Amino acid sequence: MVVVQPPGGVEKNQTFVVPFSPDMMTETPVPNEFTGLSSGDGAPLYQWKDGICDCCRLGVLHPSFLNACCFPQILMAQVLTRMRMNWLGTPSVKGEWKKTFQRVLTIVVVYFTLSMIFALPAPDFLIDGKIIQNSPPVPVWLVIVNNLINGAFGLYTVIVLMKLRKAVRTRYHIPEHNCQSMEDFCCSFWCTCCTVSQLARHTANYEDRRAICCSKTGLPERAPVMIV
């Protein structure tokens, strides 16, 4: 925290008022007996709290694990909110991060709605070597629209998750260990669920805080979140 010296300076034992807002940013490491260094929210610096494949560490019924498996974009939105980033994965301006969860949730709902409307019919299948036509031929336009919907949603997820992972690494001073300069992309593309689960575990103290599936941060509304 930076304090501006009053005009004329200060004297020993003098008391003066310093304005403070929870929105102030801090990057000051705090000693931690287990990791050597930690951020102000207790998460370790320079290393991940646990591995990318430790998704079940808190149990298979943990809300963050269930969200990561079934609705990774929802969990991504919760971590974006904790990091005070907007729905595009960029630093928020003037409290825009408070609407991140709502906007990503809207995108997810729209995606599933469009997917049902423009769903492809069941494919043909073989019985005793004979092709059984289970539905009428699929129009080319329907295939194109279906692929565009799925492609756009997948591309959005990978790009935003990649930017979010990079922001978390930067915030906690975590270097890349594999695929130099491409690690964020590779993890987001190939291991989407595991990656967003790891980010959620790193930015919240689930050992002391109850996780919630559908809150804006994945935590109780009054629970303190990380200061960025």
Side-chain angles (χ1 to χ4, degrees):
M1 178 176 175
V2 178
V3 177
V4 179
Q5 179 176 307
V10 295
E11 299 179 357
K12 184 178 180 179
N13 297 325
Q14 178 182 350
T15 301
F16 60 95
V17 178
V18 179
F20 174 77
S21 168
D23 292 335
M24 289 182 175
M25 301 173 65
T26 177
E27 292 285 349
T28 305
V30 179
N32 179 287
E33 60 179 321
F34 300 107
T35 62
L37 287 174
S38 75
S39 62
D41 54 13
L45 294 174
Y46 307 109
Q47 63 183 2
W48 293 105
K49 182 183 294 185
D50 51 27
I52 193 172
C53 295
D54 291 334
C55 303
C56 299
R57 184 173 65 83
L58 300 172
V60 295
L61 297 181
H62 193 270
S64 70
F65 175 75
L66 296 177
N67 262 350
C69 292
C70 303
F71 302 102
Q73 293 79 16
I74 298 299
L75 187 58
M76 180 179 73
Q78 294 172 340
V79 180
L80 284 169
T81 302
R82 297 174 195 171
M83 292 291 292
R84 300 187 179 184
M85 302 172 74
N86 63 21
W87 64 282
L88 293 173
T90 56
S92 175
V93 179
K94 297 181 180 179
E96 187 183 6
W97 59 273
K98 296 178 182 179
K99 300 179 181 178
T100 296
F101 181 81
Q102 179 182 354
R103 290 175 177 173
V104 176
L105 178 61
T106 300
I107 291 174
V108 173
V109 171
V110 170
Y111 165 73
F112 280 106
T113 301
L114 293 178
S115 294
M116 289 187 290
I117 294 175
F118 297 101
L120 299 178
D124 299 337
F125 55 92
L126 292 174
I127 295 182
D128 296 331
K130 296 181 179 180
I131 297 178
I132 305 301
Q133 189 170 359
N134 194 43
S135 57
V138 181
V140 175
W141 70 265
L142 183 58
V143 175
I144 294 175
V145 171
N146 182 270
N147 288 336
L148 286 175
I149 293 172
N150 291 325
F153 188 66
L155 186 63
Y156 165 76
T157 301
V158 171
I159 291 176
V160 174
L161 184 56
M162 177 177 64
K163 294 166 70 175
L164 174 59
R165 189 178 190 273
K166 183 177 181 180
V168 172
R169 285 197 308 101
T170 301
R171 170 65 181 85
Y172 293 95
H173 310 288
I174 302 173
E176 292 181 310
H177 298 288
N178 303 291
C179 306
Q180 292 299 319
S181 75
M182 292 292 290
E183 184 179 279
D184 297 323
F185 169 77
C186 290
C187 289
S188 301
F189 184 79
W190 298 109
C191 308
T192 304
C193 297
C194 293
T195 297
V196 72
S197 180
Q198 183 185 39
L199 297 178
R201 295 192 306 276
H202 196 88
T203 55
N205 188 357
Y206 287 132
E207 287 78 5
D208 296 332
R209 300 290 176 182
R210 181 169 60 94
I212 299 178
C213 282
C214 299
S215 72
K216 292 182 178 181
T217 61
L219 300 166
E221 290 297 331
R222 294 185 178 275
V225 296
M226 62 173 296
I227 300 175
V228 296

